[in-house]
Amino acid sequence: MHRICLIGAGRIGQVHAGNIAAHAQLELSWVVDHDPETARALAQRYGGQSGSLDEALADPKLSAVLIASPTDTHHELVLRSVERGLPVLCEKPLDLDFEQARESVRIAEASGTGLYLGFNRRFDPSFGRIHDEIRSGRHGALEVLSITSRDPAPPPVSYIERSGGLFRDMRIHDLDMAYWLSGETPAEVFASASCLVDPDIGGAGDVDTAVVVLRLPSGALCQITNSRRCVYGYDQRIEAFCSEGMLRAANERQTRVEMANDDGFCREPALPFFLERYAEAYRRELQALVDALDGKPCHLTTGQESLLSLAMADAANRSLGSGAFEKVTL
Amino acid sequence: MHRICLIGAGRIGQVHAGNIAAHAQLELSWVVDHDPETARALAQRYGGQSGSLDEALADPKLSAVLIASPTDTHHELVLRSVERGLPVLCEKPLDLDFEQARESVRIAEASGTGLYLGFNRRFDPSFGRIHDEIRSGRHGALEVLSITSRDPAPPPVSYIERSGGLFRDMRIHDLDMAYWLSGETPAEVFASASCLVDPDIGGAGDVDTAVVVLRLPSGALCQITNSRRCVYGYDQRIEAFCSEGMLRAANERQTRVEMANDDGFCREPALPFFLERYAEAYRRELQALVDALDGKPCHLTTGQESLLSLAMADAANRSLGSGAFEKVTL
Amino acid sequence: MHRICLIGAGRIGQVHAGNIAAHAQLELSWVVDHDPETARALAQRYGGQSGSLDEALADPKLSAVLIASPTDTHHELVLRSVERGLPVLCEKPLDLDFEQARESVRIAEASGTGLYLGFNRRFDPSFGRIHDEIRSGRHGALEVLSITSRDPAPPPVSYIERSGGLFRDMRIHDLDMAYWLSGETPAEVFASASCLVDPDIGGAGDVDTAVVVLRLPSGALCQITNSRRCVYGYDQRIEAFCSEGMLRAANERQTRVEMANDDGFCREPALPFFLERYAEAYRRELQALVDALDGKPCHLTTGQESLLSLAMADAANRSLGSGAFEKVTL
Amino acid sequence: MHRICLIGAGRIGQVHAGNIAAHAQLELSWVVDHDPETARALAQRYGGQSGSLDEALADPKLSAVLIASPTDTHHELVLRSVERGLPVLCEKPLDLDFEQARESVRIAEASGTGLYLGFNRRFDPSFGRIHDEIRSGRHGALEVLSITSRDPAPPPVSYIERSGGLFRDMRIHDLDMAYWLSGETPAEVFASASCLVDPDIGGAGDVDTAVVVLRLPSGALCQITNSRRCVYGYDQRIEAFCSEGMLRAANERQTRVEMANDDGFCREPALPFFLERYAEAYRRELQALVDALDGKPCHLTTGQESLLSLAMADAANRSLGSGAFEKVTL
């Protein structure tokens, strides 16, 4: 049994809390939140304790820390956990500041405790299946990877302003997918983007519609398309074109019902957003944490890999300015 | 080059005329119709002659007769053609009167000229594929055959009154499919039906919604469902459940376009009716006629096979009265 | 919080135990099993107690009993629970003996405690959606209901011998669906069946492949097809043909991945069996139990409704002998 | 009735000949080919004459010229036809030399006779439907257009060497689609490409796998992916992401059959290549020619529009060298 300290009792923290409680090898020991009442309520529901970070980290039985608090708290919380010798699973991004993120990774690596980032898509059953199929080699070499990733609706501009921009906030997931599925570190990144959804996003200096091209060392190409708005649900699809075959993952729906009338044959929209689409991925992510704690190989994104995603996002941002391929520099 | 005399220049006659003209080994030599003007116009369009039946049959170069005139003219036209020594492809049904149909078949068989009925579904690419797959043996033994066959809208009651009823008029196609796909002559037929679409159909002594069960000698079962109304197009599907696999043919649509919005993902309705759905089948049917004329095996329904379909339809009608399995008697 | 006594710690009991533990308003208080060790292990995992039926029923805080033990124990367990004044959710069937089942229902109804049967399909998200769509009236009147229900592989003959036969054991779910979806009590049942999968099933006096036709009071028709073997997974589909539209529920798969190569485009088989296919249904069934305990309307099958399914299964069995429609008599 | 002179009796010429013969308002009057025997055979089959270009152009009844001969003959044939005052439908590309193509267009425009290029995809029923849906405005503004276009197998290197390269030979269709569907002239083109399919293609100085990004004046983006090899058939898909909905066209298959076994559910590959996939498009293209000859609006690509596609292809080629957005210059 691994005992977890959960930091952050908000929306995503609650998802993790429920999954920890349901997992046969995990126990929700502590919940820490800047609002003590929220922490207490969540801890009580699943049989854990709540308290300050100091109190929690003082518990000698703790096995790991799961950080689901706001991005600007990640750095300190990672350092505190690493200092205490505990492995960390931290929601992405590690930090909006690349140097500070690199510092977190450096310290965690030096200490030898594991630092993992919560890139949920690696644990989506369909995307995971594509990963395994590519690795199996039975479809030949990957030649073109196409990733579609569209959010149902733009967040408030206040969020946009603190998000680090479309590429660091949203597309970073797709960049991690490109790396993880291909097994290659992209050499060059090209990006083109527009503000078509909401002029206020443009006003905040960001874009909401984008296309990215990655060039991989093998010559394989990756194209990604993003939007901050999608009227038919959370659009999350991947297509891997290989020399001997093609693999693609369609969207998830709540039911398998199709209705037919004189307008045609209709199925329901895609699942609304990430909590629904990646519900199973969040459960599998915790199994990966258990594997990591047990010393087994797992697909959690390492701190080092998370720096790569950030570097790709930054190269994409530079490409927006130059209109040309930009090298990915770590 | 085989020279065809087409009798009947109506809707279905026009389809055949165009397909004859487009076929490299067929020539539309004569068009005969009770309305000479209609015959003349159709003949002119495709380079043939028009005239009376006597004039046409007097042409020594004729290879075959294609009968697409009203059902009550079939018997005489078949006899005249057979007498002239010409193979006949006749639109179904051969005759609403079973004894008269049997007589046509007897005479044609005695004369040695071929008599074929135009059961178009045998030439539908999807249904033909299912036939070939079943025959290939690679899916094991056929165990349950499910046929769905729904017309978009009921015909006028005046048509219903002369049609021979739902089973002889419409379901007879499905009964031929059951026989042809399974390769077995059904031993028993059960039917249950209602009048749900139009009370005037019931007033005319017919039904418009039905379910039929056939029991085949091997123990395999067949279920058929029919309706005289279907708001999403002409619903024509078959599912063959075999011991080692399942084969199914979905409906045809005009395009492959799917549209997504907040109502969901929609594709267009099924093709509207038989002229559209079986356009390719009508073309392939003529190729089968060419094969027959060339002495090659083909999938045209023989006169004898058409009697079997009629006998099955009659057994289904008897079952409606008895509420029990009825034997198919030829 | 409702406190549940679970009787039966086998495969399906374990599913219920996990779902009870995960439900915010349910608590697994007691686990009873003929094997005390199995009961103890399951109770311990989810924080409940284990013991004899007497010990459990003596707990004054119990809210309800969930019976997941072998069929031949149901009658006594229902009576004991009812005597104790506790609502019961019992796995189907209530009893293989119709009179004894009727007696259970009579006593439960007399006592005023609720007696519900676990017909899981009512809680399948897709089938539930079809139910709600039919009820909404926006698709017009239901005219033909088609139910496909095929098990992946036949059970051991020893199971078949004690199962009550295909119709009472397996098809009873489909008969409940026909009643629940249509909202009508079938007036007549016709059945035809064969033994095509395993001759030993025939040797045990049972069939393994069947087609059933139900006639509903409104004139609507229902066709059901069953098999004890299906190589592409657990085949569970429903199609509801209505005057203004059609609703259909396709099979569930584990992922949304499609692979394409020179053989074509392939998706994975249907989920393997009921534990996977109805995993979500089992969760929703417990929510229905909570609703029932809270006095709210729910879709649990009542004892009285379960008698109807049994009566339909018996009429189907009689029809196998008579080859004719048989009336459903309660 | 419009009388057509067909130049070129090869593979694509034969397709046009059959479609001309089958069209009620077109007549195949002349067939001209560098091989007189081939011309004679094709003319005879459909009732036309064959002869030299001079003989054909001397026919005072000619309505139009359809050029389906090798690319390097187009310029002269267009000039001769225009000189004779006849509208021309010419297979793409007009010419591999941009200046010469511009000269053809200039002369045709000066003469006032129509010059059209055979971009078949505009007449594909599915792509045409997407075009009409975008234009209808009911899906809002086009934001991202994604075009997938993969050939089943690379042509011989000898063909590659004379083809003008991947972008001018193959992708030019996609560039025309991008322009036609969006209704916008792309401002900038970015391209990245590799040689992954056949090293001999690289040896010939060409690429076989590519990704292109177009930036449209409205800010909308277009991504195109191409490959010279695709094991699952001719992969031709389009997805138009709009502010209020999404439209996509899937591949075409020969039948609607799906097979299921323990490997899963499989449908057949996409149609093998352009003659099958665009068979209906070629028929509709001729209807567009009839419309053009009748003075009605049609969707044929004009000579001017074909220059735009060439200019986009050239910009893409320049981008391969620069690694940056290149402006489209006419």
Side-chain angles (χ1 to χ4, degrees):
Chain A
M1 186 69 77
H2 301 289
R3 292 178 174 77
I4 306 296
C5 169
L6 171 67
I7 307 178
R11 190 171 56 164
I12 191 67
Q14 289 169 27
V15 169
H16 287 308
N19 289 336
I20 290 169
H23 196 288
Q25 292 151 273
L26 292 176
E27 186 182 289
L28 183 64
S29 298
W30 286 88
V31 179
V32 176
D33 195 272
H34 67 93
D35 175 10
E37 257 319 291
T38 304
R40 206 179 55 80
L42 188 59
Q44 192 166 356
R45 179 161 164 200
Y46 294 107
Q49 290 179 269
S50 66
S52 69
L53 181 63
D54 288 339
E55 289 172 307
L57 291 183
D59 180 343
K61 292 186 175 163
L62 271 191
S63 311
V65 176
L66 200 167
I67 301 175
S69 54
T71 300
D72 57 10
T73 67
H74 289 181
H75 184 65
E76 191 202 337
L77 293 170
V78 167
L79 296 200
R80 290 289 308 277
S81 305
V82 164
E83 197 176 23
R84 164 69 176 78
L86 291 170
V88 176
L89 172 57
C90 180
E91 279 299 315
K92 69 95 209 171
L94 191 46
D95 207 294
L96 290 183
D97 181 78
F98 189 82
E99 289 312 316
Q100 189 145 294
R102 199 207 298 266
E103 179 72 1
S104 295
V105 172
R106 197 190 55 72
I107 291 172
E109 290 193 343
S111 78
T113 64
L115 171 58
Y116 305 104
L117 275 293
F119 281 84
N120 49 14
R121 297 182 200 188
R122 292 192 180 192
F123 304 99
D124 176 73
S126 293
F127 296 165
R129 180 79 184 279
I130 287 182
H131 174 273
D132 296 348
E133 291 288 335
I134 292 174
R135 283 301 174 286
S136 76
R138 78 175 70 105
H139 306 282
L142 177 68
E143 296 183 345
V144 179
L145 185 66
S146 299
I147 299 177
T148 299
S149 174
R150 292 162 178 152
D151 281 0
V157 170
S158 59
Y159 174 92
I160 295 273
E161 284 166 346
R162 293 177 333 226
S163 70
L166 181 74
F167 292 160
R168 291 183 142 212
D169 175 51
M170 174 183 168
R171 172 156 267 162
I172 200 167
H173 277 294
D174 308 306
L175 296 167
D176 183 66
M177 275 285 105
Y179 161 75
W180 183 65
L181 290 176
S182 71
E184 295 189 60
T185 303
E188 293 180 297
V189 179
F190 170 85
S192 184
S194 296
C195 180
L196 300 172
V197 175
D198 181 355
D200 287 349
I201 292 177
D206 200 2
V207 291
D208 51 37
T209 305
V211 170
V212 165
V213 175
L214 305 177
R215 189 171 180 84
L216 304 177
S218 67
L221 302 166
C222 173
Q223 57 180 4
I224 307 175
T225 180
N226 292 106
S227 175
R228 284 283 193 190
R229 173 184 57 194
C230 183
V231 295
Y232 51 90
Y234 187 43
D235 191 4
Q236 298 280 296
R237 287 174 286 153
I238 292 181
E239 175 176 316
F241 178 77
C242 301
S243 56
E244 303 296 329
M246 188 261 280
L247 307 155
R248 63 178 169 198
N251 280 313
E252 298 278 345
R253 293 181 174 83
Q254 200 183 352
T255 76
R256 303 283 86 72
V257 173
E258 185 170 40
M259 305 190 195
N261 58 33
D262 49 5
D263 286 335
F265 291 71
C266 297
R267 290 173 296 165
E268 63 198 290
L271 287 176
F273 206 10
F274 68 97
L275 288 181
E276 297 85 5
R277 166 60 188 263
Y278 294 119
E280 177 64 18
Y282 283 117
R283 282 191 281 270
R284 294 183 177 211
E285 189 177 87
L286 285 185
Q287 177 56 48
L289 177 61
V290 168
D291 289 342
L293 295 175
D294 289 345
K296 296 181 192 161
C298 75
H299 287 299
L300 286 170
T301 299
T302 65
Q304 195 63 46
E305 287 174 328
S306 80
L307 294 182
L308 175 61
S309 306
L310 265 180
M312 288 193 269
D314 287 351
N317 274 326
R318 289 199 306 279
S319 176
L320 284 189
S322 70
F325 260 142
E326 292 289 338
K327 294 223 179 311
V328 178
T329 52
L330 266 175
Chain B
M1 187 66 80
H2 301 289
R3 293 177 174 79
I4 306 297
C5 168
L6 171 68
I7 308 178
R11 191 172 54 165
I12 190 67
Q14 289 169 28
V15 170
H16 287 308
N19 289 336
I20 290 169
H23 195 288
Q25 292 150 275
L26 292 176
E27 185 182 291
L28 183 64
S29 297
W30 286 87
V31 178
V32 176
D33 194 273
H34 68 94
D35 175 12
E37 256 321 291
T38 305
R40 205 180 56 79
L42 188 60
Q44 194 167 355
R45 180 162 164 198
Y46 294 108
Q49 291 179 271
S50 66
S52 69
L53 181 63
D54 288 339
E55 288 173 308
L57 292 184
D59 181 342
K61 292 186 175 165
L62 270 192
S63 311
V65 176
L66 200 167
I67 302 176
S69 55
T71 300
D72 57 10
T73 68
H74 288 182
H75 184 66
E76 190 202 337
L77 294 170
V78 167
L79 295 200
R80 290 290 307 278
S81 305
V82 164
E83 197 175 25
R84 166 68 178 77
L86 291 170
V88 177
L89 172 57
C90 180
E91 278 299 315
K92 70 95 213 172
L94 190 46
D95 206 292
L96 289 183
D97 180 80
F98 189 82
E99 290 311 316
Q100 191 148 290
R102 197 206 301 265
E103 180 73 2
S104 296
V105 172
R106 197 190 56 73
I107 292 171
E109 290 195 342
S111 78
T113 64
L115 171 60
Y116 306 104
L117 276 293
F119 281 84
N120 50 15
R121 298 181 197 186
R122 291 192 180 193
F123 304 100
D124 176 75
S126 292
F127 296 164
R129 180 79 185 281
I130 287 184
H131 175 272
D132 296 349
E133 290 289 335
I134 292 175
R135 284 299 175 286
S136 76
R138 79 175 69 105
H139 307 281
L142 177 67
E143 295 183 346
V144 179
L145 186 66
S146 300
I147 300 177
T148 300
S149 174
R150 292 163 180 152
D151 281 0
V157 170
S158 59
Y159 173 91
I160 295 273
E161 285 166 345
R162 292 175 336 223
S163 70
L166 180 74
F167 291 160
R168 290 182 143 212
D169 175 50
M170 175 183 167
R171 174 157 264 162
I172 200 165
H173 277 295
D174 308 305
L175 296 167
D176 184 66
M177 274 288 106
Y179 160 75
W180 183 64
L181 289 176
S182 70
E184 295 189 60
T185 304
E188 294 180 296
V189 178
F190 170 85
S192 184
S194 296
C195 181
L196 300 172
V197 174
D198 181 353
D200 289 348
I201 292 177
D206 200 3
V207 292
D208 52 37
T209 305
V211 170
V212 164
V213 175
L214 305 178
R215 191 173 178 83
L216 304 177
S218 67
L221 302 167
C222 173
Q223 56 179 7
I224 308 175
T225 180
N226 292 106
S227 176
R228 284 285 194 189
R229 173 185 57 195
C230 182
V231 296
Y232 51 89
Y234 187 43
D235 191 4
Q236 300 278 295
R237 288 173 285 153
I238 291 181
E239 175 175 317
F241 177 78
C242 301
S243 55
E244 303 297 328
M246 189 261 280
L247 307 155
R248 64 180 170 196
N251 280 314
E252 297 279 344
R253 293 180 174 83
Q254 200 184 351
T255 76
R256 302 283 87 73
V257 173
E258 186 171 41
M259 305 189 193
N261 58 32
D262 48 7
D263 287 334
F265 290 72
C266 296
R267 291 173 296 165
E268 62 199 289
L271 287 176
F273 206 12
F274 68 97
L275 289 180
E276 297 85 5
R277 165 61 189 261
Y278 294 118
E280 177 63 18
Y282 284 117
R283 283 192 281 270
R284 293 183 177 210
E285 187 176 87
L286 285 184
Q287 178 55 47
L289 177 61
V290 168
D291 290 342
L293 295 174
D294 289 345
K296 294 181 193 161
C298 75
H299 287 298
L300 287 171
T301 299
T302 66
Q304 195 63 45
E305 287 175 328
S306 79
L307 295 182
L308 175 61
S309 307
L310 265 179
M312 287 193 271
D314 288 351
N317 275 325
R318 289 198 307 277
S319 176
L320 284 188
S322 70
F325 260 142
E326 293 287 338
K327 294 220 179 314
V328 178
T329 53
L330 267 174
Chain C
M1 187 67 78
H2 303 288
R3 295 178 173 78
I4 305 297
C5 168
L6 171 68
I7 307 178
R11 189 171 56 166
I12 189 67
Q14 289 169 28
V15 170
H16 287 307
N19 289 336
I20 289 169
H23 195 288
Q25 291 151 276
L26 292 176
E27 184 183 292
L28 182 64
S29 297
W30 286 88
V31 178
V32 176
D33 194 273
H34 67 93
D35 175 12
E37 257 320 292
T38 305
R40 205 179 57 80
L42 188 60
Q44 194 166 355
R45 180 162 165 202
Y46 295 108
Q49 290 178 268
S50 66
S52 69
L53 181 63
D54 286 340
E55 288 173 308
L57 292 184
D59 181 342
K61 292 186 174 166
L62 272 191
S63 311
V65 176
L66 200 169
I67 302 176
S69 54
T71 300
D72 57 9
T73 67
H74 289 180
H75 184 65
E76 190 202 336
L77 294 170
V78 167
L79 295 201
R80 290 290 308 278
S81 306
V82 164
E83 199 176 22
R84 165 69 176 78
L86 292 170
V88 176
L89 172 57
C90 180
E91 278 299 315
K92 70 97 213 168
L94 191 46
D95 205 295
L96 289 183
D97 181 78
F98 189 82
E99 288 312 316
Q100 191 147 290
R102 197 206 299 266
E103 179 73 2
S104 296
V105 172
R106 197 191 56 72
I107 291 172
E109 291 194 340
S111 80
T113 65
L115 171 59
Y116 306 104
L117 275 294
F119 281 84
N120 50 14
R121 298 182 197 186
R122 291 191 180 193
F123 304 99
D124 176 74
S126 293
F127 296 164
R129 181 78 184 279
I130 287 184
H131 174 273
D132 296 348
E133 291 288 336
I134 292 175
R135 282 300 175 287
S136 77
R138 79 175 71 105
H139 307 281
L142 177 67
E143 295 183 346
V144 179
L145 185 66
S146 300
I147 300 177
T148 299
S149 174
R150 292 162 179 153
D151 281 0
V157 170
S158 58
Y159 173 91
I160 295 273
E161 285 166 344
R162 292 178 334 225
S163 70
L166 181 74
F167 291 160
R168 290 183 141 209
D169 175 50
M170 175 182 167
R171 173 155 266 161
I172 201 167
H173 278 294
D174 307 306
L175 296 167
D176 184 66
M177 275 286 105
Y179 160 76
W180 183 63
L181 289 176
S182 71
E184 296 189 59
T185 304
E188 292 180 297
V189 178
F190 170 86
S192 184
S194 296
C195 180
L196 300 172
V197 175
D198 182 353
D200 288 348
I201 292 177
D206 201 3
V207 292
D208 51 37
T209 306
V211 170
V212 165
V213 176
L214 305 177
R215 190 171 180 84
L216 304 177
S218 68
L221 302 167
C222 173
Q223 57 179 7
I224 307 175
T225 181
N226 291 107
S227 175
R228 283 284 193 187
R229 175 184 57 197
C230 182
V231 295
Y232 50 90
Y234 187 43
D235 191 4
Q236 299 279 296
R237 289 174 284 152
I238 291 181
E239 175 175 318
F241 178 77
C242 301
S243 56
E244 302 297 328
M246 189 261 282
L247 308 155
R248 63 179 170 198
N251 280 312
E252 297 280 342
R253 293 180 173 83
Q254 200 183 351
T255 76
R256 303 283 86 74
V257 173
E258 186 170 40
M259 305 189 193
N261 58 33
D262 48 7
D263 286 334
F265 290 71
C266 296
R267 291 172 297 165
E268 62 198 292
L271 287 176
F273 206 11
F274 68 97
L275 288 181
E276 296 86 4
R277 166 60 189 262
Y278 293 118
E280 177 64 17
Y282 284 116
R283 283 192 280 270
R284 293 185 177 208
E285 189 177 87
L286 284 186
Q287 178 56 48
L289 177 62
V290 168
D291 290 342
L293 295 175
D294 289 346
K296 295 180 192 161
C298 75
H299 287 298
L300 287 170
T301 299
T302 65
Q304 195 62 46
E305 288 174 328
S306 78
L307 294 181
L308 175 61
S309 306
L310 266 179
M312 288 193 268
D314 289 350
N317 275 325
R318 289 198 307 276
S319 177
L320 284 188
S322 69
F325 259 142
E326 294 286 340
K327 294 223 178 315
V328 178
T329 52
L330 267 175
Chain D
M1 186 68 76
H2 302 288
R3 294 178 173 77
I4 306 296
C5 169
L6 172 68
I7 307 178
R11 190 171 56 167
I12 190 67
Q14 290 169 28
V15 169
H16 287 308
N19 289 336
I20 290 169
H23 196 288
Q25 290 150 277
L26 292 175
E27 185 182 289
L28 183 65
S29 297
W30 286 87
V31 178
V32 176
D33 194 273
H34 67 94
D35 174 12
E37 256 321 288
T38 304
R40 205 180 56 79
L42 188 60
Q44 195 166 355
R45 181 162 164 199
Y46 294 108
Q49 291 178 270
S50 66
S52 69
L53 182 64
D54 287 339
E55 289 173 308
L57 292 183
D59 181 343
K61 292 187 174 163
L62 271 191
S63 312
V65 177
L66 199 167
I67 301 175
S69 55
T71 299
D72 56 11
T73 67
H74 288 180
H75 184 66
E76 190 202 335
L77 294 170
V78 166
L79 294 200
R80 290 289 307 278
S81 305
V82 163
E83 195 176 27
R84 166 69 176 77
L86 292 170
V88 177
L89 172 57
C90 181
E91 278 299 315
K92 71 96 213 168
L94 191 45
D95 206 292
L96 289 183
D97 182 79
F98 189 82
E99 287 312 315
Q100 190 148 290
R102 197 207 299 267
E103 179 73 1
S104 295
V105 172
R106 196 192 55 73
I107 292 171
E109 290 194 342
S111 78
T113 65
L115 171 58
Y116 306 104
L117 276 293
F119 281 84
N120 50 15
R121 297 182 198 187
R122 292 192 179 193
F123 305 99
D124 176 74
S126 293
F127 296 164
R129 180 78 184 280
I130 286 183
H131 174 273
D132 296 348
E133 290 288 334
I134 292 175
R135 282 300 175 286
S136 76
R138 78 175 71 106
H139 306 282
L142 177 67
E143 296 183 346
V144 179
L145 185 66
S146 300
I147 300 177
T148 300
S149 175
R150 292 161 179 153
D151 281 0
V157 170
S158 58
Y159 173 91
I160 294 274
E161 285 164 345
R162 295 175 335 225
S163 70
L166 181 74
F167 291 160
R168 289 182 143 213
D169 175 50
M170 175 182 166
R171 172 156 265 162
I172 199 167
H173 278 294
D174 307 306
L175 296 167
D176 183 65
M177 274 287 105
Y179 160 75
W180 183 62
L181 289 176
S182 71
E184 295 188 61
T185 303
E188 293 179 296
V189 179
F190 169 85
S192 184
S194 297
C195 181
L196 301 173
V197 175
D198 181 354
D200 288 350
I201 292 177
D206 201 3
V207 291
D208 52 36
T209 306
V211 170
V212 165
V213 175
L214 306 177
R215 190 173 178 82
L216 304 177
S218 67
L221 302 167
C222 173
Q223 57 179 6
I224 307 176
T225 180
N226 292 107
S227 175
R228 284 283 193 187
R229 174 184 57 196
C230 183
V231 294
Y232 50 90
Y234 187 42
D235 191 5
Q236 299 279 296
R237 288 173 286 153
I238 292 181
E239 175 175 317
F241 179 77
C242 301
S243 57
E244 303 297 328
M246 189 260 281
L247 307 156
R248 64 178 168 196
N251 280 313
E252 298 278 345
R253 293 180 173 84
Q254 200 183 352
T255 75
R256 302 284 87 72
V257 173
E258 186 170 38
M259 305 189 195
N261 57 33
D262 47 6
D263 286 335
F265 290 72
C266 296
R267 290 172 297 165
E268 63 199 289
L271 286 176
F273 206 11
F274 68 97
L275 288 181
E276 296 84 4
R277 165 59 189 262
Y278 294 118
E280 178 64 19
Y282 284 117
R283 283 192 280 272
R284 294 184 177 209
E285 187 176 89
L286 284 185
Q287 178 55 48
L289 176 62
V290 169
D291 290 342
L293 295 174
D294 290 345
K296 296 179 192 162
C298 75
H299 287 298
L300 287 170
T301 299
T302 65
Q304 195 61 46
E305 287 174 328
S306 79
L307 295 181
L308 175 60
S309 307
L310 266 179
M312 288 193 268
D314 289 350
N317 275 325
R318 288 198 308 277
S319 176
L320 284 189
S322 70
F325 259 141
E326 292 287 340
K327 293 223 179 312
V328 178
T329 52
L330 266 174

